[in-house]
Amino acid sequence: MSKILKLSSQIRSEFLDFFKNNGCSVVPSDSLIPSGDKTLLFTSAGMVQFKHHFLGQSKDTFTRAASCQKCFRTSDIDNVGVTARHLTFFEMLGNFSFGDYFKKDAIAWAFEFLTKNMGLPVDKLYFTVYKDDDEAAEIWKKLVPKDRIIKLGEETNFWNMGDTGPCGPCSEILIDLGKDMGCAKPSCGPACDCDRHLEIWNLVFTQFDRQPDGSLKNLPRKNIDTGMGLERITAAANGKKSIFDTDLFMPIMENAAEILKIKNEGKNISKLKMIADHARAVTFLISDGILPSNEGRGYVLRRILRRAVRQGKLYGSNKPFMNELTSSVLNIMGTAYPDILAKFENIKTVVRVEEEKFLETLETGSSILSDIISGYKSKGEKIISGRDVFKLYDTYGFPHDLTKEIALENQMAVDEEGFKERQKDAQEKSRAAWGGSGEKDVTFYSILHKKIGDSVFVGYDVYKADTKILALIKNSKEETELAEGGEGEIILDKSPFYAQSGGQCADTGKIYNDNFLAQVLDVIKPVGSLFVHKVKILKGIVKAGGKANAEIDVERRKQTARHHTSTHLLQKALRETFGNHIAQAGSLVSSESLRFDFTHFNALKKEDLIKIENIVNAVIRENIPICVETMKIDEARKAGATALFGEKYGDIVRTVSVKNERGVFSMELCGGTHVQRSGDIGFFKIVSESSVAAGVRRIEAVAGSSAERYILNEEASMLKAAEILSSSKDELANNAAKHIADYKKLEQEINLLKSRLILGEIDNYAKNVKEIKGFNFLSLFIDGQDVKALRETSDKLKAKIGSVILIIASKNEGKVSFIVSVSDDYVKKGVSAGKIAKSFAADINGSGGGKADFAQGGSKDIAKINEALKTAEKYL
């Protein structure tokens, strides 16, 4: 790698320091899961976390800010590695003004930073402005020669939030990378979309409010929103023509080339660029709590990871390698983003497991594609339908380009248009299905919050409080009163009620005075520390501004606390048992039970669960004090506190620790409610362990009185079973095993008798074979048989008849089962049992499918089976 004059880390720090010195508050990056706009899938720009600031709905006191924001977007994914500038994951440097400084300062500071701090030559820069923005043009003229300023139209230099609302002109700063990077067209210039003129910085001047008739009105408070890609300015500051020729990418590309045993040159470069980008994206997405799945954010993560693994496969790599590249990402980014260091072991493991899973998928997909190609060849067809290609892609995760490659090897092609059409339909359905994160629109609460401020939570110390009613809400409207029998929301100046957050359910209880009684059903914090109590008015009329008593359900709180502290002990016990790759992936803590999702890649054995229970219950018996402290986030991390995976924390955090004679057993960042001593939990019992997603396991457990009820119910079930089997408790397991063994023996005898009966009927069945379209065909109905018996019948008939197509159905336990079996010689002629099974199943309102030689299916609709069998020859 050629010498880097300015490291990306230096530029990141220099940018933030520059704007800090100009009065901006430096705000940490938000998560890639947006906190500023819950309708977005990912944080895709620096301004996302400042949405409420731009709308004047934030309680923050600063009016100017700067940040380096992690961003992710897939709109340019097909160009990643192809061009010198496109990425999925990038860092957006930005400075913002919320009714504070405007164009003059924004332009002057941008010019100063680029030319003085970054040392970019003015004669290589162009400055575009909106065609009607004379104000911005005049400011630029005082700084640069007139011929460096270009006026462009609305398409490139005017920002709109939507058809109506806030909008404004923008000014882009571009650097000329030279003719060799251009498209060679006579018209090539700063407005051209080729790689020659690289946009470095975009300054958006939000000054208008677009009306429904299209007219523009001046906003009373004008804002500044700027964005500059760290990757682009790093390249420009080092005289590089590609963002990939910087310290942000080169080490990853070189590591990838070494692992894949290829050279970082020639035709390999574009693939290595894409792999490097995707390695960065995967690392940060997982760091922010996103795990591979088949929907939402997890689906996007899975797709980009598999896209990169596919490139390795093309180079002959049949082993996971992306997980190794996360180490390179950590080396480059770990100092700026310490979260990825804290979660690194988990990140690497998640990537490796997903890679292994996909490599298995590729093997399966190749087998399925082979069957598809054989089917097309038998019919003399040479184009694989878009439907089949998309099914491989969408259902089995088999890459589209790999399908094309294998088809070409078999002198075939794929229906590109058909594939794109189905892909587009799927994308539109996905967009329609994405309704945001499921969180309620908080605009109303944001406005109210700005008006009345935070509620004070006193529930850590007391269960009951004298308080004042600040506001009443019904159907997102402020009311002066709420009447008996109705439901609504109450906001208090202080509250003992814990609001649902961090996986813990809210307190319930009552709010009352001499004139009313309201049952508290739930409590939420939609914005800031605004506690919103969802209530039902049981008696009287609630009036805004009045005094009231707020009282929680104490026993429910205590039982919830038992479960919450148990969750902390459970996580520590899991780590002690399996290692530090265990990380929380979700939780639910209620008064009834606890649910803990964690990253792990194998089912837990019974002896593991017993060991974990023993560890937790041993700590409970020690009756250790639970220590709650507030401290700086850096101090908490140094002390070894466990943070919630993907959560964003402030500078001051609350820690919950369990310390015994051996030191700190458990320490977590947590805002929930807990017991005072571990002995208050009483008893802990795991109820179940299961899988919820690839690499994510779930434990459900109970503690305290819930654990007592669970044990009593288990004992009652055991006594009932002993009664049924006429057994004592001590002999129950032996007697149950004996009964099962006797049952299996009888079942074997029955199956043997059935086989003999079937064998006796084979000759009679074979007499009914018909010749249809040149094929021997037989359809049968045999009552009371399971699929195993049907398959045995088909095997014996094929042995008797030889060349044949069989459809055999049976009715058993109120539903229909069927099999389709095709002899090998007919398969070679293009007959497919799987296709016949699908058509047959459709006619009986069921489902079915399988391979070319054997398929099966079933239906709960028994009325149509006889008619379907009578006309079964139509499926040939």
Side-chain angles (χ1 to χ4, degrees), residues 455-475:
S455 310
V456 177
F457 177 59
V458 296
Y460 288 137
D461 305 309
V462 298
Y463 298 143
K464 180 180 177 181
D466 297 330
T467 184
K468 180 181 179 181
I469 300 170
L470 297 182
L472 300 173
I473 303 164
K474 191 174 181 67
N475 298 326

Side-chain angles (χ1 to χ4, degrees), residues 24 78 211 372 426 503 522 578 663 668 734 755 766 850:
C24 293
D78 291 332
Q211 304 301 300
I372 291 172
D522 196 7
F578 298 110
E668 295 193 25
N734 290 334
S755 294

Side-chain angles (χ1 to χ4, degrees), residues 11-19 67 93-94 113 201 228:
I11 295 173
R12 187 191 294 114
S13 298
E14 200 167 334
F15 176 88
L16 295 175
D17 288 343
F18 177 87
F19 282 97
S67 69
L93 301 169
F113 183 79
W201 207 336
M228 173 169 60

Side-chain angles (χ1 to χ4, degrees), residues 679-855:
D680 296 341
I681 295 170
F683 175 61
F684 171 82
K685 179 65 183 172
I686 293 174
V687 174
S688 67
E689 189 274 341
S690 60
S691 171
V692 291
V696 181
R697 308 297 300 179
R698 170 174 291 172
I699 283 180
E700 295 182 75
V702 285
S705 58
S706 293
E708 293 169 10
R709 283 194 301 273
Y710 176 79
I711 295 298
L712 289 172
N713 289 336
E714 289 287 290
E715 186 177 31
S717 297
M718 184 175 66
L719 291 172
K720 185 67 177 176
E723 182 184 338
I724 292 169
L725 295 174
S726 301
S727 170
S728 67
K729 285 196 295 182
D730 293 340
E731 289 297 316
L732 180 59
N734 290 334
N735 285 335
K738 184 178 180 300
H739 275 79
I740 291 170
D742 290 344
Y743 174 82
K744 287 183 176 179
K745 184 179 178 182
L746 289 171
E747 190 176 40
Q748 287 173 351
E749 291 175 0
I750 291 169
N751 288 335
L752 183 61
L753 288 171
K754 283 183 178 180
S755 294
R756 288 173 180 170
L757 287 171
I758 290 169
L759 188 62
E761 292 293 326
I762 291 296
D763 289 340
N764 290 332
Y765 293 150
K767 291 175 184 177
N768 295 311
V769 173
K770 300 177 184 178
E771 185 178 330
I772 308 293
K773 298 180 181 178
F775 297 104
N776 290 331
F777 175 75
L778 176 62
S779 61
L780 293 171
F781 180 83
I782 308 173
D783 199 18
Q785 305 296 307
D786 58 18
V787 171
K788 183 180 178 182
L790 294 181
R791 182 155 198 167
E792 185 180 352
T793 303
S794 78
D795 290 343
K796 289 174 179 176
L797 280 169
K798 284 166 76 174
K800 175 76 176 177
I801 301 166
S803 301
V804 69
I805 300 168
L806 298 167
I807 301 178
I808 310 175
S810 182
K811 183 175 69 176
N812 195 19
E813 297 181 355
K815 58 184 180 181
V816 171
S817 298
F818 71 87
I819 61 103
V820 181
S821 187
V822 179
S823 57
D824 291 342
D825 56 333
Y826 284 179
V827 170
K828 291 176 182 177
K829 292 181 178 181
V831 180
S832 170
K835 289 184 178 179
I836 294 172
K838 286 181 181 178
S839 300
F840 186 80
D843 283 351
I844 60 172
N845 297 325
S847 60
K851 295 185 178 181
D853 62 336
F854 183 83

Side-chain angles (χ1 to χ4, degrees), residues 472-507:
L472 300 173
I473 303 164
K474 191 174 181 67
N475 298 326
S476 295
K477 274 184 62 181
E478 261 199 274
E479 302 287 350
T480 56
E481 60 183 43
L482 296 175
E484 184 174 321
E487 294 189 3
E489 296 168 346
I490 297 177
I491 297 177
L492 306 171
D493 68 337
K494 59 183 175 181
S495 173
F497 287 86
Y498 183 85
Q500 55 173 283
S501 63
Q504 180 176 327
C505 293
D507 285 323

Side-chain angles (χ1 to χ4, degrees), residues 118-377:
M118 296 294 103
L120 300 188
V122 176
D123 62 358
K124 293 291 184 182
L125 299 177
Y126 284 97
F127 309 88
T128 69
V129 295
Y130 178 54
K131 60 183 179 66
D132 295 331
D133 190 2
D134 294 332
E135 181 186 2
E138 288 302 316
I139 296 170
W140 278 120
K141 285 178 185 177
K142 295 175 182 177
L143 298 170
V144 300
K146 187 177 179 181
D147 64 350
R148 311 310 294 177
I149 304 167
I150 299 171
K151 289 193 172 185
L152 295 174
E154 189 165 345
E155 185 178 336
T156 58
N157 282 67
F158 198 95
W159 177 82
N160 293 286
M161 181 179 284
D163 293 335
T164 60
C167 58
C170 59
S171 178
E172 294 182 348
I173 304 171
L174 305 95
I175 187 167
D176 186 350
L177 299 178
K179 289 183 179 180
D180 59 315
M181 295 294 289
C183 57
K185 294 178 182 176
S187 60
C188 185
C192 186
D193 197 37
C194 69
D195 279 347
R196 176 173 176 175
H197 296 92
L198 178 70
E199 177 198 329
I200 298 176
W201 207 336
N202 188 16
L203 317 177
V204 179
F205 313 124
T206 312
Q207 64 187 92
F208 299 121
D209 184 7
R210 190 180 293 277
Q211 304 301 300
D213 63 0
S215 62
L216 300 175
K217 286 189 176 180
N218 286 318
L219 284 171
R221 199 178 82 147
K222 298 173 182 179
N223 300 319
I224 291 291
D225 163 22
T226 85
M228 173 169 60
L230 174 64
E231 298 78 7
R232 295 189 179 194
I233 184 58
T234 301
N238 285 283
K240 304 296 183 182
K241 297 188 176 184
S242 169
I243 59 175
F244 295 98
D245 293 334
T246 65
D247 65 322
L248 288 164
F249 295 94
M250 288 303 294
I252 309 173
M253 293 169 64
E254 288 166 357
N255 190 10
E258 183 180 351
I259 294 169
L260 297 174
K261 296 180 173 60
I262 60 175
K263 291 184 177 180
N264 187 9
E265 59 185 36
K267 64 181 182 180
N268 296 333
I269 291 178
S270 64
K271 303 299 183 187
L272 290 170
K273 287 176 180 177
M274 187 263 275
I275 288 171
D277 167 77
H278 287 12
R280 285 163 32 106
V282 164
T283 301
F284 277 90
L285 288 170
I286 296 173
S287 174
D288 280 351
I290 300 166
L291 294 171
S293 70
N294 286 327
E295 59 185 16
R297 299 181 179 103
Y299 179 75
V300 178
L301 167 60
R302 171 166 285 167
R303 282 296 182 199
I304 65 163
L305 176 53
R306 291 184 169 190
R307 195 167 183 265
V309 173
R310 162 71 183 126
Q311 298 307 315
K313 183 77 173 175
L314 287 174
Y315 284 118
S317 174
N318 293 310
K319 294 181 180 180
F321 72 94
M322 284 290 285
N323 66 95
E324 297 182 50
L325 297 184
T326 59
S327 299
S328 295
V329 178
L330 174 66
N331 291 337
I332 298 166
M333 311 288 275
T335 303
Y337 299 98
D339 277 359
I340 62 173
L341 176 60
K343 300 165 185 172
F344 179 67
E345 187 178 346
N346 186 72
I347 293 167
K348 190 171 183 178
T349 306
V350 170
V351 175
R352 178 180 55 76
V353 170
E354 182 65 17
E355 286 186 274
E356 291 171 346
K357 186 175 179 181
F358 180 52
L359 289 169
E360 290 174 9
T361 294
L362 287 177
E363 293 299 320
T364 304
S366 295
S367 175
I368 294 169
L369 179 56
S370 180
D371 288 342
I372 291 172
I373 288 174
S374 295
Y376 277 93
K377 281 186 173 180

